[in-house]
Amino acid sequence: MSAPMISIRNLYKIFGANPAAAMAKVREGMGKEELNADYGHVLGLKDINVDLMEGEITVIMGLSGSGKSTLVRHINRLIDPTSGEVLVQGENVLDYGEETLRDMRRKTMSMVFQHFALLPHRSVLQNTATAPIVRGEDKAVYEPEARKWLERVGLAGYEDSYPHQLSGGMKQRVGIARALTSNAPIMLMDEAFSALDPLIRTDMQDLLLELQVELNKTIVFISHDLDEALKLADHLVILKDGEVVQQGEPQHILLNPEDDYIVDFISDINRARVLRVRSIMEPVKQDVSHVGEVQREATLEQVIAQTGGESIGAYLVKHEGDVVGELNMSTLVRSLVPQKRSGQ
Amino acid sequence: MATYDFLFENLGLKDWCSDGGGDRPVSMADLLARKKGGAAETSVWDTPFPSMDALNEACSKFPKSRDLTIGLEDGFLAIKDALRFVLDPITEPLSWMLDGAMWLAEATPWWIVIPVLLLITYFVSRSWSIVFSVGASILGLAFIDHYLPAIQTLSIVFVCAAICVALGVPIGIAMSRSNRLQRAVLPVLDMLQTLPTFVYLIPLIFLFSVTESKLYGIAIILYAIVPVIRLTDLGIRMVDKDVLEAAQAFGMTPRQKLYQVQIPLALPNIMAGVNQTIMMSLAMVVIASLVSAPGLGVLVLRGIRNLELGVGLVAGLGIVILAIILDRVTKSALARVNAAQHH
């Protein structure tokens, strides 16, 4: 496996008047509550270790106050950590001076914001071209580029409009086009779709996945919505109170939750829509006769529709024409039942 | 015998008090008291507050409160030459600008000045109805022979407001970037705004000669610069934090942030400040006629001084008309800026 694009190592963030002193207390083992009650410092992030692979969408998920937006701002150092390292392409961004840091923000990373954060006094086209304008590029070079991306996100013809003339969904399309025009390999998306209506949100998720197929960017996506996280994530990181509770491949987390918190969290989702055949298939047994074929990447919901609700028998699992395993319908049905909490 | 004799006796300062106390100039009150015999014992009811003057009665060595104000005068006179030496060259360009603008406005024939003013009005407001009302106002004033004072007043307002903006906007920006500077400057602004306007004419009269136009120029600028500083500071501080964060995330330098984000987004507030500044310069230009500022204010002053009721009222009305057109024109410019970046 190649080296990760971004590595976050032993990252701590403490908010308060004297973080260094509070950091020492935390190293001695003081908890979040005690630190807040006795010293008035808030432990924002505690010992975060996450690797983000090139070309993957890593979703950092957690409820509000879990520190997810704080975490993503450490990657481009909009926030400085109290302790720890952030390695981007092998270099520790905390060693960067102002100039190098600015250079990284201009060329290596782009960002999409929850509330769009477009410049209200600039046209859609100028907003889209923010990154090249900041870099001081020539108008003749960046304008076609910006137009291309606006068209790609479905906003051709709106170049000369102003942000206040657009709806929320369209504004965020501009936000995405702005991030893409920067041509940076890393894209940070802070709750990018959270302020949008559910239908538009689904549209935008599809757009992102579609773009990702051809662009292969390293995307860090922050979300509080589990369905969204499961839909987008190649790698899912679940945060709670500033700590990573579990991280891994979403299907794996769904089938093997390590923590009561996660069990609770995933108990309400539509498992049939999220789980895929590949996660629950087994090696082919020779003595079983198969009643049909299913695709490896199909969701269980699609399989159920395909079988017409029949819940017995076994299917051959195929991927790109080859047989890769078999799927027992009884396993499928069992996998749809959420795990009970250990105490219950 | 004075009421507080006992105080100095008990403190053992009697000798210090009487020592050479006789050379002091004697006030009328002292003489009267001496003539009466000064023996009358004051009742408890009439006990004076132990103020400087009351204590001076008991001990002539103790300074009177007038000595305090004399001290202030002497102090000011002592630093006056040094202050003048520094301030005079710095403020000299102000005189040139005021005199130059005045000369230009007076020397140019009316049939050029009025169309130029209307053209400026159109470019600022982009509204024909405002151009029409400005034209009607100026022609009306010219018809009743108030053209010259009106144009003098306007040229003073233009020069002073322009300088206020040129100084006030950078000060406001600096304030918005430093909380410490803001804490230091805000009381000064409060003082400039609340100090009765006549009061800060006093040191200016001492510093500069009344024939110099910078005297009233400084008075107007000090008074009118406050809103543009305040609103620039406020406007930049109110810029959306999300947008600033985005600017940061895309790697803008502080300078890029200032010119490409903060100032454009603060522009509606800055323009509101400019509007206020223009209105306040106009208010001050009337008072500044006391220190030889020409214009409509001189006519108002004449109305008061010579009891020429009509002259004063008509000139006052002329000022109101100027105020209305200046306000309308700047407000329409403000409305245009607002419309362009409506959130």
Side-chain angles (χ1 to χ4, degrees), chain B residues 300-321:
Chain B
V300 175
L301 209 60
R302 190 176 121 197
I304 297 169
R305 213 182 277 152
N306 305 353
L307 290 179
E308 294 174 343
L309 175 76
V311 174
L313 281 185
V314 169
L317 202 67
I319 290 163
V320 172
I321 290 174

Side-chain angles (χ1 to χ4, degrees), chain A residues 33-46:
Chain A
E33 278 76 30
E34 207 186 335
L35 189 74
N36 195 6
D38 299 351
Y39 295 92
H41 281 64
V42 177
L43 182 53
L45 292 172
K46 184 181 172 189

Side-chain angles (χ1 to χ4, degrees), chain A residues 73 76 78 102 105-106 110-111 113 115 117-122 130-131 133-134 164 178-179 182, chain B residues 240 242-243 245-254 256 259-261 264-265 339-343:
Chain A
R73 279 165 176 70
N76 60 357
L78 289 176
R102 209 148 46 216
R105 288 174 178 162
R106 288 177 176 191
S110 58
M111 196 163 178
F113 297 86
H115 298 295
L118 303 175
L119 299 177
H121 60 291
R122 287 191 174 171
T130 300
I133 290 175
V134 171
H164 68 90
R178 172 170 73 176
S182 108
Chain B
D240 191 353
D242 286 351
V243 176
E245 192 179 43
Q248 186 98 17
F250 279 92
M252 283 198 188
T253 59
Q256 282 176 320
Y259 287 108
Q260 296 183 25
V261 182
L265 293 194
Q341 48 171 276
H342 172 82
H343 292 271

Side-chain angles (χ1 to χ4, degrees), chain B residues 176-194:
Chain B
S176 72
R177 304 189 138 206
S178 151
N179 285 330
R180 193 181 297 171
L181 185 66
Q182 191 195 34
R183 271 199 302 277
V185 173
L186 276 182
V188 177
L189 297 185
D190 288 339
M191 192 191 76
L192 285 177
Q193 220 165 14
T194 47

